[in-house]
Amino acid sequence: MKSNDTKNILLVGVGGQGTILASKLLSEGLVRCGYDVKMSEIHGMSQRGGSVTTHVRYGTKVASPVVPLGCADILVAFEKIEAVRWLAYLKKEGTLVVNDYELYSLPVLTGAAEYPEGVTEKLKSAVKNTKCIKAAEIASSLGNIKAQNVVLTGALAKSMNLGHIDWKSVLTDIIPSKMLELNIKAFETGYAL
């Protein structure tokens, strides 16, 4: 990697989806590869189901932890509307990894608003390189929907050609032991997609 070849990843989701854990796994794996890694978390009422974004930048030498507008090489969205909300951060030739999952806001739940239709199709037409993953469905089939973040992390690692990292070791060092086996399966399933 050239000294000025910084890669930018933006992870976006809703509070409680594990966005921050996914970024910690990614950052740790990149550090173990010898990259300079900067990570910045932004919580927007995350405990109440608000947006959570995490910027991860890596390269030989990274100056700032924040991904500039229009500069994300990869945007990972843990929920479809979050993908729409943060799409302006993605490079024109960037990759969108989106969880084909809907989390309803309070206005939608109370009937005051409707969840937009055709979000996935609109994202695919806006971004040529879109990878839609049913991470929540996969995680549920493995035993716990909360592992959807690790399914997405596996898919992200595959999209970034980071198979040379010892992800099992990274997971072992970060995930609590009682959840480790499930999360290793979740990562491997996401990576295989």
Side-chain angles (χ1 to χ4, degrees), residues 89-105:
Y89 277 82
L90 189 62
K91 283 182 178 177
K92 187 174 183 177
E93 67 282 359
T95 299
L96 173 62
V97 178
V98 61
N99 186 7
D100 193 3
Y101 186 67
E102 298 174 1
L103 264 175
Y104 301 125
S105 64

Side-chain angles (χ1 to χ4, degrees), residues 133-143 147-158 167 171 181-193:
I133 298 169
K134 294 188 178 295
E137 192 175 295
I138 292 166
S140 292
S141 73
L142 293 172
Q148 66 185 314
N149 60 336
V150 180
V151 172
L152 288 167
T153 305
L156 174 59
K158 177 73 169 207
W167 290 107
L171 289 161
E181 186 178 336
L182 167 71
N183 281 282
I184 289 172
K185 286 180 189 173
F187 184 92
E188 290 171 348
T189 303
Y191 192 87
L193 293 174

Side-chain angles (χ1 to χ4, degrees), residues 3 13 17 23 25 27-28 35 46 49 56 61 74 82 85 89 108 112 128 161 171 177 189 193:
S3 61
Q17 284 192 288
S23 62
L25 292 168
S27 296
E28 180 62 25
Y35 291 113
S46 60
V56 177
K61 182 68 178 149
I74 300 177
E82 292 301 312
R85 183 172 291 151
Y89 277 82
V108 172
K128 182 180 176 183
N161 297 313
L171 289 161
S177 58
T189 303
L193 293 174

